[in-house]
Amino acid sequence: MFNNELVIDGRKFRSRLMVGTGKFSNSDTMAKAIEASGAEIVTVAMRRVDINNPADDILKHIKPDKYLLLPNTSGARDAEEAVRLARIARAAGCEPWIKLEVTPDPYYLLPDPIETFKAAEILVKEGFKVLPYINADPVLCKRLEEIGTVTVMPLGAPIGSNKGIKTTDNLRIIIEQAKIPVVVDAGIGAPSHAALAIEMGADSVLVNTAIATARNPVRMAEAFRLGVDAAVAARDAGMPGQRDKAEASSPLTGFLRN
Amino acid sequence: MFKDVLAKYDFEDTRKFIHSRTERDVELALGADKVDEAHFAALLSPAAVKYLEPMAAEAHSITKRRFGNTIKIYAPLYLSNECTNSCKYCGFNHKNDIPRIILSDEQIKQETDIIHNMGIRHILLVTGESPKKVGTDYLINSVNIMKDKFNSVCIEVYPMSVEDYSLMYSHGVDGLTMFQETYNRTKYADVHPAGMKRDFEWRLGGPERGAEAGFRTIGLGALMGLEEFRTDQFFLGLHAHYLIKNYWKTHISISFPRIRKASGNFQVHEIVDDVSYVQMTLAHRLFQHDLGINISTRESAEFRNNLLPLGVTQMSAGSKTEPGGYSNENEGKQFEVEDKRSVEEFCNMIRSKGYDPVMKDWDRSFLSGE
C-alpha cells in the first residue's frame, strides 16, 4: 500500500487532506463530512466558536483523540489581533498549533504578508507550531521557513472561489525550494484540483468551501479523500514526465540489444 | 467623499435612466462578467421583473459560494426613544405622544440578560437622536454593562465625529449602522423638517467617518417607501460600492427597511410590494458579491422564510423595538415587528431549510487589549 503519511514538525498524520469547518448547513453534516474525508487535521475559526466551552456545537464534534484541532485566526486584520487570538486558543487548552490567517480585506480574504510575518515571528518565539496562510510567494515562504514556521500554506486561488490552482508557477518554485511541508490552501474547488496540487508535489491540501457547499457534503468529502489518495498513489508509482515529442512504447532501437 | 460622488448625479435623471432600461439591457447585465453601474441600473429596473428567476438562481449561487449555508443572527436593543427630531415617518418623532424612556443601568442589565438567555451573541444598540440625554458617556456606560455577555456590539445611533466613533470603538463597539433613509435631498428635507437629522451631508458622511474610526462592519440602508425606491436603491448600491473601494478593511452590509405602521400615520410615497423587494435584494447581490444582506423582523415570518436562499447573510430574531420591550412590552415602538417568532422558533426554521444559524461570528478579543 502506498504511503499516505504527512509529517509536520515530527508529528505524523495518515491523511494529506486537511478540512475546514465553516459554511456547513449544520454541525452533524460537518462531522460526517470530516469523517468521510479521512482528514486528521481540522481547522476551526476562533471567531466562530466559544473556545472555552467544549459543548460548543462545532467543538463537540471534533474529538481530540481523533483529530488535531487547528484553531485559525480568521478575522484578524493585523499581527496583534492574530497573536491575541492564538494565545486565547492556547489558554483555553488547545494544543499550541495555530493556522495563522491575517486577512485585512474582508472581501477576497487575501493574506497580508507583512502582518503575517510579524505575527509568525512572535508566535514561533512563544512556542507555537505556526502554519501560515499566505499568497503563493516563494520568497515569503523561505523567510517564514527561516524563522521556524512548521509549514507554509500558499493559496491556489482566493478563499471560497473554487477556481483551483491558479498559482501553478509560483507553487512549483515553493515546492521545489521548501524544506518544510507545503500545504495548498484556498481556492481548491474540486477533487481534481486537490489531486493536481499533490501531483505537483505539495505535501497537503486544505479544503472547506468545496465540501461544505456541495449538494452532498459527505459524498464530496469522500471524493476529496479519493482524489488526494489517487494523487499520492500516482506519486508513489512514479509519474512519467511530460514530453514534447512522441515516444514509442516499443523502443524503435530495441533490436540493437537483441 | 461619497457626497462628491452623489453630486455627479441628478435624482430625477437617474430615475428616468433606470426606468428606461429595456429587457435587452437586463439580458446584457445577466450575461456580464462584471456587473457595472449601468448593468446594476438595469437589474433594478421594471424591465428586470420578468427575469427574477434567473437573477435569484445567480444570487443564490454567489451567496452560497461566498458565505456558505450560514445566517448570522442578531437582535436589536433599544436603549432609548428620546428624540429631538421630527422625522415624519418615525414613531420616535418628538411630537408623538409616547412614553419616553431612557433605560437605567438596572434595566439594561435586565434586558441584556433576557437577550443573552435567548442565545443572542450579536447585539445592535439603538437610540433616537438625543445626544444631550443619550450621549457618548451613556453609550459607553451601556456597552460596559453588557459587553461581557456579547461577542459583538454594534450601534445604530445619531451620526458622530471620527473622534467620537473612535471612542466607541476603543470601548468595544465593533460596528455601525446608519441609514440614509433617502438619497434625494429634496425629499430628505421634506421628511426631516426639524432637528439634527435635517443635515443631509452630516448623515451621509457618517458611515465613512465610522470606517475612518476603524469599525469592522458598517450597515447602510434606504427606507423603502419614502421616495422612488429603485432610484434610492441605486444610490444605496453606489454608496456601498464607494465604501468598499475606499475602506478595504471594513465589511459593508445593507438592509431593506420598508415603512411599517408607527405612531403618526405617515402616508408613504409608494408601497413597495414583495416582488419589488426581492428584486432589489437580488440586484444588490449581483452587483456586489460580498455585500452583507440583512433582513429584519419588519418583514413577515412567511416572507422571511422565503427570502432565506435569495442572498441573505444576516437576520434579526426575537426583536423588540421599544426600550425595555424585552422585559415588558410597552407603548413607544419605533415600528411594528411583523415576525414575532422567538429566537428558538426562528433558528429551527432556518435549520429546517438547510442553513446554520450562526450565533457567534466575531470574538471580542479582536478588540480588547491585554
Side-chain angles (χ1 to χ4, degrees):
Chain A
M1 193 61 184
F2 55 87
N3 175 18
N4 208 5
E5 202 169 70
L6 168 68
V7 182
I8 303 177
D9 197 47
R11 185 162 169 172
K12 294 176 181 173
F13 302 93
R14 285 192 302 271
S15 169
R16 290 183 180 273
L17 178 60
M18 303 181 186
V19 290
T21 49
K23 299 187 178 179
F24 281 94
S25 56
N26 59 65
S27 297
D28 267 354
T29 307
M30 177 198 81
K32 286 178 186 148
I34 293 172
E35 175 79 32
S37 75
E40 289 182 320
I41 300 179
V42 180
T43 181
V44 177
M46 287 287 294
R47 68 190 165 93
R48 273 291 299 277
V49 299
D50 183 357
I51 199 80
N52 291 305
N53 176 14
D56 178 278
D57 210 30
I58 294 178
L59 293 182
K60 74 179 178 195
H61 287 94
I62 305 166
K63 306 285 175 221
D65 52 336
K66 199 165 175 189
Y67 302 108
L68 170 66
L69 173 68
L70 183 61
N72 72 49
T73 62
S74 120
R77 289 201 296 197
D78 56 34
E80 193 188 339
E81 291 178 355
V83 167
R84 207 182 289 143
L85 280 177
R87 287 174 184 159
I88 286 167
R90 183 158 68 174
C94 290
E95 292 189 65
W97 288 59
I98 193 84
K99 184 185 173 208
L100 178 60
E101 294 185 25
V102 185
T103 54
D105 143 40
Y107 299 102
Y108 285 95
L109 298 170
L110 291 169
D112 181 330
I114 298 165
E115 294 294 316
T116 303
F117 186 81
K118 276 194 222 167
E121 264 188 324
I122 297 167
L123 292 170
V124 168
K125 279 182 191 151
E126 292 184 7
F128 281 91
K129 311 292 181 195
V130 179
L131 295 83
Y133 167 59
I134 49 171
N135 219 310
D137 177 342
V139 175
L140 179 61
C141 285
K142 292 310 286 180
R143 294 283 304 266
L144 287 164
E145 186 182 276
E146 279 172 2
I147 62 167
T149 64
V150 296
T151 66
V152 283
M153 303 183 78
L155 56 79
I159 287 181
S161 67
N162 292 339
K163 288 187 174 175
I165 312 293
K166 297 293 177 193
T167 52
T168 315
D169 291 348
N170 275 11
L171 280 179
R172 285 193 198 285
I173 300 170
I174 290 168
I175 290 164
E176 184 196 320
Q177 293 186 332
K179 292 190 282 187
I180 51 178
V182 176
V183 185
V184 177
D185 181 11
I188 293 176
S192 57
H193 302 154
L196 174 63
I198 300 291
E199 285 170 7
M200 281 169 60
D203 296 276
S204 175
V205 290
L206 193 149
V207 182
N208 184 6
T209 301
I211 295 175
T213 65
R215 183 163 45 83
N216 183 340
V218 179
R219 189 89 173 109
M220 185 59 83
E222 191 187 3
F224 269 97
R225 176 174 62 76
L226 294 168
V228 169
D229 282 356
V232 174
R235 260 168 53 175
D236 260 26
M239 284 187 296
Q242 295 180 11
R243 299 279 183 275
D244 288 333
K245 291 180 181 164
E247 190 175 300
S249 49
S250 302
L252 300 172
T253 54
F255 70 94
L256 293 174
R257 286 191 286 275
N258 286 340
Chain B
M1 293 165 80
F2 183 64
K3 72 176 174 130
D4 302 319
V5 176
L6 194 60
K8 293 178 188 158
Y9 297 83
D10 176 79
F11 196 92
E12 184 54 22
D13 288 348
T14 308
R15 187 191 69 75
K16 284 181 188 157
F17 180 78
I18 294 168
H19 284 257
S20 68
R21 297 304 86 198
T22 63
E23 288 179 13
R24 178 70 190 133
D25 293 321
V26 179
E27 284 163 11
L28 286 171
L30 280 169
D33 281 345
K34 173 87 186 101
V35 172
D36 64 17
E37 252 179 68
H39 294 136
F40 180 46
L43 295 171
L44 293 169
S45 74
V49 174
K50 267 179 72 177
Y51 295 86
L52 282 193
E53 194 52 37
M55 285 172 71
E58 183 66 11
H60 172 73
S61 160
I62 294 166
T63 310
K64 192 163 175 169
R65 196 165 63 241
R66 303 303 295 158
F67 295 89
N69 302 298
T70 60
I71 300 285
K72 188 168 99 179
I73 306 292
Y74 73 98
L77 170 59
Y78 281 70
L79 291 171
S80 166
N81 56 6
E82 283 285 353
C83 196
T84 57
N85 289 322
S86 311
C87 312
K88 289 181 178 175
Y89 51 83
C90 181
F92 289 177
N93 183 328
H94 81 110
K95 291 177 186 158
N96 287 348
D97 184 21
I98 55 169
R100 298 292 170 172
I101 301 164
I102 301 175
L103 295 188
S104 65
D105 290 3
E106 197 46 47
Q107 287 172 311
I108 292 171
K109 280 181 200 145
Q110 264 179 23
E111 292 277 289
T112 49
D113 277 346
I114 294 170
I115 298 170
H116 183 265
N117 288 337
M118 297 187 319
I120 296 287
R121 296 293 179 270
H122 290 263
I123 194 163
L124 175 67
L125 305 183
V126 189
T127 68
E129 285 199 15
S130 183
K132 284 191 182 148
K133 289 183 180 169
V134 184
T136 50
D137 289 348
Y138 176 85
L139 290 169
I140 289 167
N141 177 55
S142 306
V143 172
N144 286 334
I145 291 171
M146 71 184 66
K147 68 181 173 189
D148 290 341
K149 295 194 187 87
F150 299 100
N151 294 110
S152 159
V153 179
C154 298
I155 52 171
E156 184 175 351
V157 299
Y158 55 90
M160 294 180 189
S161 62
V162 175
E163 291 71 29
D164 281 348
Y165 279 142
S166 300
L167 193 63
M168 292 290 130
Y169 184 68
S170 68
H171 281 87
V173 175
D174 53 83
L176 163 73
T177 294
M178 170 87 38
F179 295 163
Q180 186 60 27
E181 321 297 12
T182 175
Y183 290 86
N184 182 340
R185 286 169 186 269
T186 313
K187 177 53 73 75
Y188 188 91
D190 175 44
V191 295
H192 302 106
M196 292 167 45
K197 199 166 170 179
R198 259 188 87 71
D199 192 336
F200 179 91
E201 281 188 6
W202 179 244
R203 190 168 189 87
L204 189 69
E208 48 204 287
R209 292 195 299 276
E212 202 73 58
F215 284 127
R216 312 292 284 251
T217 58
I218 302 241
L220 308 175
L223 187 51
M224 294 207 283
L226 272 190
E227 235 309 342
E228 201 283 312
F229 67 92
R230 297 176 198 275
T231 316
D232 260 339
Q233 290 301 315
F234 177 78
F235 289 119
L236 175 64
L238 293 196
H239 198 176
H241 184 66
Y242 171 86
L243 292 170
I244 289 169
K245 276 277 182 201
N246 288 279
Y247 299 95
W248 63 287
K249 294 182 181 178
T250 300
H251 188 252
I252 308 298
S253 63
I254 53 171
S255 302
F256 300 89
R258 283 196 277 195
I259 296 181
R260 290 293 182 199
K261 191 174 70 177
S263 301
N265 292 321
F266 175 70
Q267 291 300 307
V268 294
H269 173 86
E270 62 187 329
I271 301 288
V272 179
D273 61 18
D274 288 356
V275 170
S276 304
Y277 189 102
V278 167
Q279 186 193 348
M280 298 302 104
T281 64
L282 300 176
H284 278 284
R285 169 58 72 233
L286 300 187
F287 183 41
Q288 289 168 112
H289 295 186
D290 296 286
L291 199 61
I293 290 187
N294 180 24
I295 308 291
S296 81
T297 52
R298 279 175 187 255
E299 300 303 329
S300 72
E302 190 191 359
F303 189 50
R304 295 212 314 156
N305 295 357
N306 291 324
L307 282 173
L308 253 185
L310 300 182
V312 178
T313 61
Q314 54 205 61
M315 294 175 107
S316 53
S319 306
K320 303 290 179 191
T321 66
E322 71 277 29
Y326 290 97
S327 311
N328 292 300
E329 202 159 328
N330 55 55
E331 294 299 308
K333 296 182 177 66
Q334 191 186 30
F335 59 87
E336 289 291 338
V337 163
E338 295 289 320
D339 184 349
K340 297 182 194 299
R341 287 174 291 188
S342 69
V343 173
E344 193 185 351
E345 285 170 323
F346 183 67
C347 289
N348 284 340
M349 178 281 294
I350 287 183
R351 288 188 194 99
S352 75
K353 291 190 172 283
Y355 285 81
D356 184 20
V358 172
M359 309 312 277
K360 177 179 185 287
D361 195 25
W362 177 251
D363 201 285
R364 295 215 58 75
S365 55
F366 280 117
L367 295 180
S368 57
E370 289 171 292

